[in-house]
Amino acid sequence: MSKLDSLVASTRQTLELIAREYTPAVFASSLAAEDMVLTDLILKAKLPIGIFSLETGRLHKETLAMLDRVKDHYGYEIALYRPQQDAVDQYVAQNGLNAFYDSVDMRKECCRIRKVEPLGRALAGNKAWITGQRRAQSNTRTTLQVHEDDPGHLMDKFNPLADWSEEDVWEYLRANDVPTNALHEQGFPSIGCEPCTRAIQPGEDVRAGRWWWENPESKECGLHVVDGKLIRIKSVAA
Ligand code: SF4
């Protein structure tokens, strides 16, 4: 069995375990390459796992286009969770549309409004959630496990691709003719909001293009646990 076959087999087992023992469970997709591997595995196996995306209002058009491409390819409509409009309006009125460039606190408050709060709604009522995170993606994910507790959301969290390399991901996508985000061909290995994500140079960390103006240690959006600790969001809202 090839390395990829072995990874696929263990990932299928993890997804089947979730479907069997953690229903209802949901998969949070950012519509990036890793997430398309999991989308392909979940939908082809017809597993009872819902797929959703956080539509922050600041996504690239290429990312939004993936919603239709998934629908065309799999006949599946990804559920969208959007921020509360009054919270967005208040942040913009008080701080400006792009205040996230001003400080880490301002950035985390924007992520809290546009991602963390909608994520809470998306996860409510589920026993587990699934992400496409990989251990090799950045220095904030080196201890990532396939199965973790998520104390912030009081449920189990699964990262079925924790052991996969970037090469494994792309080998799977090509071999299975999976639709992929056009941003990947433009130097974006990691997909996020348009104003906070840029292309990277060869040899850079795959998440180097996310919040590139910040220190590497602060580069998470508050959705995940790092080193066993919930990434806290320090609110600076009035
Ligand atoms: S990634 Fe940027 S635009 Fe998106 S929610 Fe976070 S700070 Fe706001």
Side-chain angles (χ1 to χ4, degrees):
M1 189 183 272
S2 72
K3 180 192 172 206
L4 182 62
D5 288 343
S6 162
L7 285 169
V8 170
S10 72
T11 300
R12 279 203 181 105
Q13 280 178 3
T14 301
L15 293 171
E16 285 163 6
L17 170 86
I18 297 166
R20 200 169 53 243
E21 298 184 14
Y22 291 86
T23 298
V26 281
F27 165 43
S29 170
S30 69
L31 303 161
E34 289 79 4
D35 299 321
M36 291 310 302
V37 171
L38 291 174
T39 296
D40 193 72
L41 288 168
I42 289 169
L43 294 181
K44 281 184 177 162
K46 299 186 180 353
L47 294 173
I49 295 171
I51 306 176
F52 72 90
S53 280
L54 301 177
E55 210 293 64
T56 65
R58 303 301 302 265
L59 299 179
H60 294 81
K61 64 181 187 318
E62 291 88 344
T63 302
L64 294 172
M66 286 298 293
L67 298 168
D68 282 339
R69 293 181 63 198
V70 168
K71 196 171 170 185
D72 291 346
H73 194 84
Y74 299 101
Y76 184 87
E77 198 156 345
I78 292 178
L80 296 180
Y81 285 82
R82 296 186 167 89
Q84 306 277 7
Q85 194 56 48
D86 56 349
V88 171
D89 291 345
Q90 187 179 6
Y91 177 93
V92 172
Q94 289 183 344
N95 309 302
L97 181 63
N98 294 333
F100 39 78
Y101 292 133
D102 295 345
S103 69
V104 171
D105 282 347
M106 277 290 173
R107 197 272 291 165
K108 288 187 174 177
E109 178 61 1
C110 184
C111 285
R112 186 191 68 75
I113 292 168
R114 293 183 184 271
K115 293 181 171 179
V116 177
E117 188 278 331
L119 176 71
R121 274 185 276 125
L123 299 186
N126 287 283
K127 285 188 183 167
W129 68 299
I130 302 166
T131 86
Q133 290 186 106
R134 291 186 297 103
R135 208 170 288 127
Q137 275 170 325
S138 77
N139 61 1
T140 59
R141 297 184 176 177
T142 53
T143 60
L144 190 74
Q145 301 297 311
V146 170
H147 185 184
E148 302 178 325
D149 278 335
D150 182 346
H153 297 106
L154 300 175
M155 64 177 65
D156 290 70
K157 179 180 172 187
F158 289 87
N159 311 297
L161 303 186
D163 298 329
W164 289 48
S165 69
E166 189 175 3
E167 291 72 28
D168 298 326
V169 168
W170 282 98
E171 190 180 339
Y172 179 92
L173 294 172
R174 290 189 193 103
N176 292 280
D177 200 22
V178 178
T180 55
N181 194 315
L183 289 173
H184 294 309
E185 292 150 35
Q186 300 167 36
F188 291 78
S190 179
I191 306 294
C193 291
E194 182 169 22
C196 299
T197 312
R198 69 178 183 183
I200 65 166
Q201 300 301 314
E204 279 190 296
D205 184 291
V206 295
R207 280 175 65 83
R210 303 292 295 279
W211 306 298
W212 65 92
W213 63 92
E214 293 183 3
N215 289 331
E217 291 72 24
S218 63
K219 288 187 181 189
E220 292 288 350
C221 50
L223 304 183
H224 303 299
V225 171
V226 174
D227 288 341
K229 295 178 194 148
L230 179 67
I231 302 294
R232 295 286 175 195
I233 300 298
K234 182 181 175 188
S235 174
V236 295

